[in-house]
Amino acid sequence: MNRRDLLTLLGIGACSFAGAALPRTAEGSTEGNAAALPFPSVPTPLPVPSDGLDADGQRRTYARIELEDRLVLPDGYRADLVAVWGDPLADGRFGFNNDHLSLLALGADRALLTVNFEYISARSWREGYAEAVGGELPFEALIEALAARDGRVDAGTLPADDPLLESVRRVAEAAMADLGLGVIELERQPGGPWRRRPGRFDRRITGLSGWRDPAQRLRSSGPAAAVFRRRERLGYDDGLGDAIIGSFANCAGGETPWGTVLSAEENLQNQVAEAVHADGSSVSPAARPFAYDGQRLDGLGNPFGLAGNKYGWMVEIDPRRPEQAAVKHSWLGRFRHEAVAVKAVAGQPLIVYSGCDRHGGHLYRFVSDATIRDPADPANSDLFTAGRLEVAHFDPPASAGGEGRGRWLPLEPSSPVAPLSPSHFARYGLEQAILLPHSDRLKPGAEAFSSDAAVAAYRRQYPTLADLYPGEGEERMGAILIDAHLAGCAIGATPGARPEDTVIDPASGDLLIAFTAGGGSDDGRADPAIFQGPQGQSTWPYGWIMRLADEGSAKAGAFRWRLVATGGAPWQGGMGFANPDNLCIDRLGHIWMVTDRSTTTADLDLFGNNSCWVLPSRGPHAGEAYCFATGPMECELTGPCFDAGESTLFLAVQHPGEGHGTSPSPEAREAQAHRLVDRSGRPFEQLRWVPLGSNWPSGVPGRPPRPGVVAIRRLAGGPLLEG
Ligand code: FEO
Ligand code: CA
Ligand code: CA
Ligand code: CA
């Protein structure tokens, strides 16, 4: 990553994106801020360009380091715990693995914080359950009983009086009670920290809302609701029509200008069956058994007979209206929704971007039929009920690292089937089968095609999406939306590098997308013509940030794109962080970014704990990246968002201690050796001490780690990055 690319990322360099530029000098730096650093950046585990050290200083500083099991902030800043797993909340509790945060001001010192609860980390959930929730669950008995069954069971095959069924249901119900969304009320004394003040807006939607009380069920909008209502179907019927039980896998999200919150259901496949039939109906819940072996806990939909086609959607809730049902908007497609970005401009259609976080997942755009009159009008939620869903096809840039073009392909019955071929990957030395909707349309899910000839035969057999998805009208459109990922593969959508967060840059209207990692898995593989490392590597596991600008009217469907920031070690051409995930932009235009490196992938150990970075947009430090925070052990920092005055940054600490659970003592640590390179290019060795497990937030050895949300402010008061 060179400085010019970073300036491009920030919209202030030699960037050709229309409207992206802020005032700038001839050097590409902007007018404005003082020469002081935006904040005293926190220590990083590897040398980075912004650490202020010369080569000798880097060698001395980084020769021996110790990671810490705490949230490390710059001097002069502090974090207050706002809520933690297990806190009472409405008719339930503050859930596990908090992710997206959205703050809605009710007044100067009152606000609603909407929080996503994504998934269960089996080890730390079990270790913390008694402290956080209270009571006992049959963890050991269940692990033992399932050991003879390879750690899994289809609850539907168990007799009603089987004690195993009771144990499965108790554990699964407790886990589902820790997933979904919550709304908490906050208040503060003038100049003081934000604190919870339980009130009438407090709300909890869990993974099982509506399971016991039908009045708590969620609604569905758009064509998929017609599929849900249909009596005749190829697959499973949950008997609920277009009503839906619960929401889970809620990862990132976003806000609308009319005050509602969008919550993205991501890794549905961990809890319910993802594959669907040609008519959009689900396969049996038996296809995704309940599974628990102490290290993993999933298949949580199985004991309750949940239909897989009702998860993997974008959910809209109005935090100010707790009596109003949450709605899953099917025009936004069903896939592993990571995040969402909303563009609402008066006189234009509503535009909603979202990515599917899997290797080979696509970037999507919804365009409403109707146009917006007033972006703040709550009636704008109706715009989600009629429009079109499109998926991005990227054309390679003319030169490496340059600007590319692309177009949005509509997901509609008349769209031609035109998938990538295996030879596309073979040109980059990669063996990659192409996953497409199964060619036997009586079989659900995907089929892998390993030769160009097989793909060509498939195209002849199924020339358009209408040939793959039978039916008429809303039912056919609903089936395409339910199977959006495979339908997107069929029409030639570009397989992405795990798109995570998406945000609109308010200065330009462009879209910023965090692509967390290039490479492949059983799910697919990022297009090596698009997602390349700094030296043209076809696999680059450290991620990028992309800037994308739509061109012309929404109908034209054209865009330009550029990879503008690259993860990785500085001596490999990266910026010093790995795996960008959530993004947000403050009113100065600075980009705040949190990382999600896998804590179980040793190759990523170099990057230490997950962290929060600021990329200043103006002043002498524009074009550099500063580490604002590093998280406690084995966690991920998620959901960055500000209060109205930007004097508080809210962050969620997700899955502390995910790998090793509760840390018994400070002596529980391991030594790692890392080979680093200083800024002059000379390699050197580092001895690093790494605590195993976590005790966050208590900090007391032996006490379990618990996910929670913090509010970060300056001790001196005032905006986080001014003065
Ligand atoms: Fe839940 Fe893709 O992060
Ligand atoms: Ca994420
Ligand atoms: Ca992630
Ligand atoms: Ca994660």
Side-chain angles (χ1 to χ4, degrees):
M1 175 52 43
N2 62 39
R3 185 178 170 88
R4 182 173 169 278
D5 284 344
L6 266 169
L7 293 169
T8 304
L9 158 72
L10 300 165
I12 57 178
C15 171
S16 63
F17 290 103
L22 297 173
R24 62 187 171 88
T25 67
E27 280 71 38
S29 181
T30 53
E31 302 159 352
N33 280 6
L37 288 174
F39 54 84
S41 58
V42 306
T44 49
L46 71 168
V48 294
S50 61
D51 61 18
L53 301 168
D54 62 17
D56 287 343
Q58 286 186 326
R59 298 167 75 86
R60 279 195 304 274
T61 300
Y62 295 102
R64 184 185 186 286
I65 67 165
E66 297 181 26
L67 302 188
E68 296 182 83
D69 179 32
R70 67 184 182 95
L71 179 65
V72 181
L73 296 173
D75 288 344
Y77 291 77
R78 65 164 287 158
D80 294 290
L81 190 65
V82 173
V84 67
W85 170 41
D87 284 352
L89 171 53
D91 54 354
R93 58 182 180 262
F94 195 84
F96 197 82
N97 274 354
N98 30 216
D99 198 311
H100 180 252
L101 305 174
S102 173
L103 194 79
L104 179 73
L106 294 180
D109 295 304
R110 280 187 70 209
L112 301 179
L113 189 70
T114 305
V115 185
N116 278 354
F117 304 109
E118 187 181 10
Y119 72 105
I120 300 295
S121 308
R123 180 168 177 174
S124 49
W125 185 71
R126 172 188 173 190
E127 291 179 359
Y129 192 83
E131 177 180 307
V133 181
E136 296 287 326
L137 286 175
F139 295 117
E140 287 80 7
L142 189 51
I143 292 169
E144 200 171 309
L146 292 181
R149 298 168 176 259
D150 201 20
R152 65 185 64 193
V153 64
D154 172 18
T157 64
L158 297 173
D161 60 351
D162 190 328
L164 178 58
L165 180 62
E166 167 71 6
S167 296
V168 166
R169 281 226 170 123
R170 282 184 63 199
V171 170
E173 194 164 351
M176 285 293 221
D178 273 326
L179 304 183
L181 307 81
V183 179
I184 58 176
E185 281 197 57
L186 303 181
E187 68 171 2
R188 65 176 171 186
Q189 302 302 315
W194 288 99
R195 300 186 196 283
R196 268 195 78 185
R197 189 194 70 165
R200 69 185 178 93
F201 295 108
D202 279 7
R203 180 177 186 184
R204 193 69 176 85
I205 296 170
T206 74
L208 283 182
S209 286
W211 164 248
R212 295 186 187 282
D213 177 6
Q216 301 294 317
R217 288 177 187 159
L218 287 74
R219 292 178 42 226
S220 51
S221 83
V227 174
F228 300 153
R229 287 191 294 267
R230 189 174 174 176
R231 287 280 171 84
E232 288 175 21
R233 58 183 72 196
L234 290 168
Y236 173 72
D237 187 350
D238 65 3
L240 298 175
D242 57 13
I244 297 177
I245 290 172
S247 181
F248 45 77
N250 310 76
C251 188
E255 300 84 36
T256 68
W258 55 96
T260 60
V261 175
L262 297 170
S263 173
E265 295 180 338
E266 188 194 15
N267 287 308
L268 73 140
Q269 78 285 356
N270 290 338
Q271 311 307 344
V272 289
E274 186 173 33
V276 293
H277 289 276
D279 64 355
S281 60
S282 293
V283 299
S284 163
R288 192 70 176 88
F290 173 86
Y292 184 46
D293 63 5
Q295 298 301 314
R296 56 186 279 246
L297 171 59
D298 46 33
L300 295 175
N302 173 276
F304 311 103
L306 302 188
N309 63 358
K310 289 183 168 176
Y311 307 91
W313 298 106
M314 189 63 66
V315 188
E316 185 185 29
I317 72 162
D318 187 339
R320 296 160 304 184
R321 298 185 63 183
E323 73 290 352
Q324 192 179 71
V327 185
K328 302 195 181 187
H329 289 304
S330 69
W331 267 116
L332 273 53
R334 171 178 171 270
F335 46 89
R336 300 179 195 172
H337 275 284
E338 165 74 20
V340 66
V342 176
K343 195 189 280 189
V345 178
Q348 296 186 21
L350 175 68
I351 307 273
V352 183
Y353 302 92
S354 185
C356 173
D357 182 7
R358 77 180 93 197
H359 288 292
H362 310 129
L363 183 70
Y364 296 80
R365 182 178 85 157
F366 167 78
V367 182
S368 67
D369 281 347
T371 54
I372 296 164
R373 274 189 288 188
D374 172 8
D377 183 353
N380 286 337
S381 290
D382 292 341
L383 295 169
F384 289 120
T385 61
R388 66 180 185 276
L389 185 67
E390 304 168 331
V391 64
H393 176 89
F394 298 85
D395 294 319
S399 59
E403 180 183 304
R405 305 186 81 83
R407 60 206 146 86
W408 294 105
L409 310 176
L411 276 164
E412 56 195 19
S414 61
S415 297
V417 168
L420 284 181
S421 293
S423 60
H424 177 78
F425 293 89
R427 282 197 282 278
Y428 297 87
L430 300 167
E431 194 175 319
Q432 181 63 42
I434 306 298
L435 294 174
L436 296 170
H438 206 291
S439 65
D440 179 346
R441 298 309 287 146
L442 292 177
K443 289 187 174 162
E447 182 179 2
F449 293 84
S450 302
S451 74
D452 287 14
V455 170
Y458 186 93
R459 290 183 67 175
R460 285 193 295 276
Q461 187 178 6
Y462 298 108
T464 68
L465 286 184
D467 300 298
L468 283 165
Y469 297 93
E472 294 299 329
E474 280 210 305
E475 289 176 354
R476 169 144 65 192
M477 192 63 237
I480 292 172
L481 294 170
I482 288 169
D483 207 20
H485 174 69
L486 290 178
C489 293
I491 65 171
T494 293
R498 295 190 52 204
E500 298 239 33
D501 214 348
T502 46
V503 293
I504 304 289
D505 178 351
S508 62
D510 294 348
L511 181 70
L512 293 179
I513 311 142
F515 284 98
T516 211
S521 72
D522 291 345
D523 290 324
R525 172 176 286 281
D527 186 343
I530 306 299
F531 299 97
Q532 298 184 346
Q535 271 77 52
Q537 297 95 327
S538 54
T539 296
W540 184 254
Y542 312 114
W544 302 263
I545 298 175
M546 175 188 283
R547 180 179 282 274
L548 183 152
D550 282 330
E551 286 190 295
S553 72
K555 213 165 195 168
F559 61 82
R560 288 173 293 150
W561 65 270
R562 187 175 188 137
L563 293 173
V564 289
T566 303
W571 53 91
Q572 297 173 312
M575 290 175 61
F577 54 73
N579 308 115
D581 191 317
N582 298 146
L583 305 169
C584 69
I585 301 179
D586 67 22
R587 60 187 170 188
L588 299 173
H590 303 332
I591 296 170
W592 295 65
M593 183 269 298
V594 289
T595 66
D596 179 16
R597 59 147 291 211
S598 162
T599 52
T600 56
T601 304
D603 284 353
L604 296 167
D605 280 347
L606 171 68
F607 298 93
N609 293 3
N610 277 308
S611 46
C612 175
W613 296 71
V614 178
L615 312 180
S617 71
R618 57 181 68 192
H621 306 292
E624 296 184 9
Y626 293 84
C627 189
F628 181 80
T630 54
M633 302 313 302
E634 300 159 21
C635 89
E636 180 184 343
L637 301 176
T638 62
C641 78
F642 301 100
D643 60 7
E646 295 187 354
S647 59
T648 302
L649 170 70
F650 294 89
L651 274 182
V653 177
Q654 193 193 57
H655 61 74
E658 182 164 55
H660 295 87
T662 306
S663 175
S665 76
E667 285 71 48
R669 59 180 190 163
E670 70 174 18
Q672 295 178 353
H674 291 283
R675 190 167 174 81
L676 310 179
V677 178
D678 70 25
R679 69 170 73 238
S680 73
R682 283 179 64 198
F684 66 104
E685 301 288 331
Q686 178 188 71
L687 171 64
R688 183 185 300 182
W689 287 102
V690 180
L692 300 176
S694 176
N695 309 113
W696 194 89
S698 72
V700 177
R703 277 188 66 183
R706 291 162 68 176
V709 171
V710 297
I712 298 168
R713 62 198 169 102
R714 289 175 66 185
L715 290 169
L720 285 159
L721 289 196
E722 285 181 5

